Amino acid sequence: MRSTPVPTLIFALSLTLVGCGARYTADWKSLDARPLPTWFDEAKFGIFIHWGVFSVPGFGEHSEWFWYWWKGTQRAPEVAFMEKNYPPDYSYADFAHRFRAEFFDADSWAEIFEASGAKYVVVVAKHHEGFTNWPSPNSWNWNSMDTGPHRDIVGELAVAVRKRSLHFGVYHSLFEFFHPLFLADQASGFKTQDFVAQKTLPELVNLVNVYKPDLIWSDGDWVANDTYWNSTQFLAWLYNDSPVKDTIVTNDRWGNGCYCTHGGYFNCDDQFTPTKLLNHKWEKCQTIDKQSWGYRRYMKATELMTLHDLLADMVYVVAMGGNYLLNIGPTADGMISPVFEERYRGMGAWLRINGEAIYASKTWRAQTEKAVVPVWYTAKDNTVYAVILGWPPNQQLQLLTPKTSPATNVTLLDYPSVPLKWNPLQQSTGLLVSMPLMPASPGNAWTLKLEGVA
């Protein structure tokens, strides 16, 4: 196949994707100046779903990379797994016929997501294996309509999630492990862009036009720079002329060097955990199964994050100005493991009481302080929230950071109409709160609402 020269391709894409009189031009200075739609910062908590052909073998650390571990690096555990359990001529494509999703019920999934307290859902539309969970016209016979489930997974989820008034987003990998066009571009030193022109960009545009997502979670960008991916041209179209131009949110994975630098909000690395406040909106993606994003058939309870771990992680993220995107990997037949469902419902039960301190909150002048139990602060309007990750001994909690006043009022969100007794510490800085007797809680986290403090 003849390769398209790079300058010609970029010019053609610019004409196709960027309309006349665009508000944002196809350069990072202009694109980075776009304000982030407010819904994203207010949401705080989202659901991440890694589901695909890789869910069938369901094996290995980072099981979503199974094909690459097996055939790319020929990693020993994956090679041994295949030799032990499958015939010698078994191919990765054969797994797609077993990805049948026979128990997949988008409405049942959406009910769990709503119950979790999440405000947005991001589903893998295409991972690095290239299999698309929608009938992509650019992925013939390697998509969920032609092969496997014979269903439009992205479409069904989009409808179900929106019926619950949740925002809907899609994860999309820019590259694919073994696509011939990508491998040819890679062999050329990325001087050709046939894969981008014939696969990546048409699929992104198709996803946007058909499903109108509120969020695009881009990934798989690191192998080449943003010029190869034509990322700025796509984003200029997305922000100017697409059907979601006013509501769409994007992340920062648009080419090698873009992490934590360019894009809508910052993901930076997976499980990004900053130690200081950033001057840019960010998100931490975290997976309940600490060893994998995709489903592992042999995962153990000890390898999963507990409810307390998850709440502590989310509270830290929100106190530091971030959003928390919590991942699960469903089974190949379309079930959400009961242990994952239990974690999600536990998050929701806690948020129904304490969500006031999370949703639409802002960072405070202090994020945390050393106390007898871990304490994290958030704020909203003139109210400060102190989330405690444990119960203080002797029912006494000393907070050194808040500055009290005669108007100070302290309540526990579990009992919002019952003021708690408190005493000021020296020079109105800090207070000693007398906590009520409380039963044990699986989440082991509570929130104090502090009014009239500075």
Side-chain angles (χ1 to χ4, degrees):
M1 182 179 293
R2 186 177 64 86
S3 297
T4 306
V6 172
T8 303
L9 176 60
I10 292 176
F11 178 69
L13 286 169
S14 297
L15 289 178
T16 302
L17 298 179
V18 182
C20 297
R23 181 180 172 189
Y24 298 100
T25 55
D27 60 83
W28 288 119
K29 182 178 180 181
S30 176
L31 297 170
D32 288 344
R34 177 181 182 259
L36 192 71
T38 57
W39 74 260
F40 183 73
D41 180 56
E42 293 173 354
K44 302 302 182 187
F45 177 41
I47 299 294
F48 210 5
I49 310 164
H50 275 66
W51 199 34
V53 174
F54 51 80
S55 305
V56 178
F59 179 83
E61 186 175 0
H62 299 299
S63 66
E64 66 281 359
W65 280 64
F66 181 86
W67 193 9
Y68 184 78
W69 301 142
W70 173 33
K71 290 297 187 180
T73 63
Q74 298 184 358
R75 201 164 68 170
E78 283 73 17
V79 171
F81 173 80
M82 291 303 298
E83 290 176 347
K84 180 179 179 181
N85 296 288
Y86 296 91
D89 60 347
Y90 205 86
S91 70
Y92 189 77
D94 291 325
F95 283 122
H97 301 291
R98 298 189 179 190
F99 178 45
R100 291 190 288 267
E102 58 266 38
F103 300 127
F104 170 54
D105 183 337
D107 287 319
S108 294
W109 282 24
E111 187 278 323
I112 295 172
F113 302 153
E114 181 184 39
S116 76
K119 299 300 183 183
Y120 62 106
V121 175
V122 180
V123 63
V124 166
K126 184 191 79 170
H127 205 264
H128 312 322
E129 65 185 10
F131 186 90
T132 67
N133 280 326
W134 85 99
S136 167
N138 305 98
S139 190
W140 180 80
N141 209 37
W142 193 234
N143 67 75
S144 64
M145 187 64 77
D146 293 342
T147 305
H150 299 292
R151 297 167 68 176
D152 181 357
I153 290 168
V154 171
E156 290 183 38
L157 266 178
V159 171
V161 163
R162 285 171 170 147
K163 281 198 299 187
R164 303 276 177 172
S165 299
L166 305 178
H167 290 276
F168 180 72
V170 292
Y171 166 109
H172 176 270
S173 174
L174 296 178
F175 97 113
E176 298 175 21
F177 292 136
F178 302 116
H179 196 290
L181 291 178
F182 173 74
L183 295 178
D185 284 352
Q186 188 177 46
S188 78
F190 298 111
K191 293 182 174 64
T192 59
Q193 293 174 289
D194 292 322
F195 178 71
V196 176
Q198 299 179 43
K199 191 68 162 63
T200 300
L201 288 180
E203 282 190 334
L204 277 169
V205 171
N206 179 250
L207 274 173
V208 170
N209 284 330
V210 175
Y211 303 104
K212 299 176 178 56
D214 299 309
L215 188 151
I216 295 177
W217 213 100
S218 182
D219 196 18
D221 61 310
W222 61 86
V223 295
N225 61 31
D226 60 282
T227 301
Y228 169 73
W229 297 118
N230 279 307
S231 298
T232 56
Q233 283 86 356
F234 169 72
L235 291 173
W237 169 78
L238 187 68
Y239 294 167
N240 290 316
D241 303 313
S242 79
V244 293
K245 60 186 177 66
D246 296 323
T247 56
I248 191 68
V249 169
T250 63
N251 65 346
D252 58 352
R253 300 188 179 192
W254 296 103
N256 188 12
C258 288
Y259 283 20
C260 270
T261 304
H262 297 301
Y265 67 88
F266 292 166
N267 283 128
C268 304
D269 298 322
D270 287 352
Q271 300 166 316
F272 178 54
T273 308
T275 57
K276 62 181 180 180
L277 287 181
L278 304 183
N279 60 3
H280 196 92
K281 184 63 187 180
W282 62 281
E283 176 191 71
K284 178 177 183 177
C285 57
Q286 177 63 49
T287 181
I288 297 176
D289 177 358
K290 291 181 283 189
Q291 295 193 16
S292 184
W293 300 86
Y295 181 69
R296 288 188 308 131
R297 288 187 281 168
Y298 61 102
M299 65 181 181
K300 301 175 182 178
T302 55
E303 296 165 342
L304 307 179
M305 293 184 72
T306 66
L307 178 58
H308 176 74
D309 292 339
L310 295 170
L311 291 174
D313 202 28
M314 178 181 69
V315 168
Y316 153 77
V317 167
V318 173
M320 295 290 287
N323 275 24
Y324 195 57
L325 187 65
L326 185 58
N327 176 78
I328 57 166
T331 64
D333 55 15
M335 295 298 295
I336 293 175
S337 170
V339 70
F340 291 153
E341 179 180 350
E342 184 270 340
R343 296 293 193 274
Y344 276 160
R345 292 191 185 277
M347 298 285 283
W350 188 86
L351 283 164
R352 281 192 290 277
I353 294 171
N354 301 276
E356 182 181 337
I358 302 298
Y359 305 124
S361 65
K362 303 295 181 183
T363 57
W364 194 43
R365 62 177 175 85
Q367 285 68 64
T368 188
E369 71 167 80
K370 292 182 179 180
V372 292
V373 292
V375 177
W376 289 92
Y377 291 105
T378 64
K380 188 184 298 180
D381 299 324
N382 297 318
T383 301
V384 175
Y385 300 91
V387 183
I388 60 173
L389 303 176
W391 199 253
N394 303 317
Q395 313 296 114
Q396 298 296 304
L397 178 65
Q398 180 174 276
L399 300 176
L400 299 176
T401 307
K403 297 178 181 179
T404 61
S405 71
T408 295
N409 185 59
V410 182
T411 53
L412 191 69
L413 289 186
D414 292 75
Y415 305 112
S417 61
V418 182
L420 298 181
K421 293 181 179 180
W422 63 273
N423 292 303
L425 299 180
Q426 55 184 355
Q427 298 178 346
S428 298
T429 298
L431 66 164
L432 182 66
V433 182
S434 296
M435 304 292 285
L437 291 171
M438 288 289 289
S441 165
N444 200 27
W446 296 265
T447 304
L448 288 173
K449 182 176 182 179
L450 310 176
E451 299 170 287
V453 301

